Amino acid sequence: FKTLGAEIECHGGWFYLGGVGQDAEGTPVTPERFVASGEVNVQCESSWSAFCMALELGNKHLSDEVIKLLPKILAGWLGGVSQLMLGAGCPGALHNTLSVMPYREKECCEGSFSTDRWGCLVGGQFNGWHRSLRQEVKGVSCEPSKTDPHHWSAKCSSLPGTYTELTPGVCREADHMPVGNCSGCNAGWPRTLRGLHRFCMADWF
């Protein structure tokens, strides 16, 4: 591969792969970033089925096509990685902690994240496109600031993830993350699994 960037995150004592991009800005991965070579060998236990005989005849063509498709497969898989659990061992000191910025108007505070050509923030702090989640964040709400009178700042409990207020104006990631059923963790896996099942069933004919 050529120049990929990975975001390693720490949540509740666990390491996560937040996402993979082409650069530090999290630009989606494209097939051009990968170079594939070699061959793929597929063999059958029984060589008497019609499928196996056809596989023997077209093995070279199948191998070439698979190698040709590998960059697209890798780009599709890595581009879909989001909050992939890697394992335990992340020290508690690495919990995410952040400061919420004060805004004069509630609408500006809840606006979409945006920067000008110099990299200065000109929009809201949290809503909008999220580089690591690869999706648009909505629902971050603001409340009267506890540190700046007549200003508004984001409510910790509404931030993406699980955050609580550590001190006024400072949000800290919770020690224990909610356990989910992983529905939708990898939208491409059910489709891949069905394809593998059909591929195995084809050997019966």
Side-chain angles (χ1 to χ4, degrees):
F1 61 87
K2 309 173 185 176
T3 316
L4 293 180
E7 297 188 10
I8 306 298
E9 303 175 4
C10 180
H11 303 298
W14 290 76
F15 287 106
Y16 284 78
L17 178 59
V20 178
Q22 292 191 169
D23 48 36
E25 299 303 320
T27 306
V29 179
T30 58
E32 290 74 22
R33 292 286 176 164
F34 301 93
V35 178
S37 61
E39 61 181 16
V40 176
N41 291 312
V42 182
Q43 298 178 342
C44 293
E45 291 184 0
S46 171
S47 59
W48 295 105
S49 67
F51 174 76
C52 284
M53 288 188 288
L55 183 61
E56 285 292 330
L57 293 174
N59 200 12
K60 178 63 168 61
H61 176 73
L62 177 63
S63 175
D64 292 342
E65 290 300 313
V66 170
I67 296 299
K68 188 187 300 182
L69 288 173
L70 274 179
K72 290 184 178 180
I73 295 173
L74 289 171
W77 175 64
L78 290 175
V81 169
S82 177
Q83 305 301 306
L84 177 65
M85 183 183 291
L86 300 178
C90 187
L94 294 183
H95 273 294
N96 291 338
T97 304
L98 55 92
S99 300
V100 290
M101 296 179 58
Y103 288 79
R104 289 188 177 276
E105 298 180 4
K106 186 172 186 289
E107 292 74 15
C108 294
C109 180
E110 296 177 350
S112 295
F113 177 86
S114 180
T115 58
D116 60 20
R117 61 178 180 171
W118 292 283
C120 298
L121 181 66
V122 294
Q125 191 175 359
F126 299 104
N127 284 318
W129 181 256
H130 193 287
R131 186 180 69 183
S132 178
L133 295 177
R134 304 290 196 277
Q135 63 185 24
E136 186 176 2
V137 173
K138 298 179 180 179
V140 176
S141 58
C142 295
E143 60 184 358
S145 175
K146 298 175 183 177
T147 58
D148 295 80
H150 310 297
H151 285 72
W152 297 80
S153 59
K155 187 185 301 183
C156 294
S157 60
S158 70
L159 300 183
T162 307
Y163 285 87
T164 57
E165 187 177 73
L166 179 63
T167 58
V170 178
C171 303
R172 182 183 185 272
E173 187 179 49
D175 292 324
H176 301 288
M177 304 290 287
V179 178
N181 59 10
C182 205
S183 59
C185 285
N186 188 341
W189 174 242
R191 183 173 64 253
T192 303
L193 185 61
R194 287 195 300 270
L196 291 174
H197 283 166
R198 291 169 182 169
F199 187 74
C200 295
M201 292 175 62
D203 190 37
W204 296 355
F205 300 96

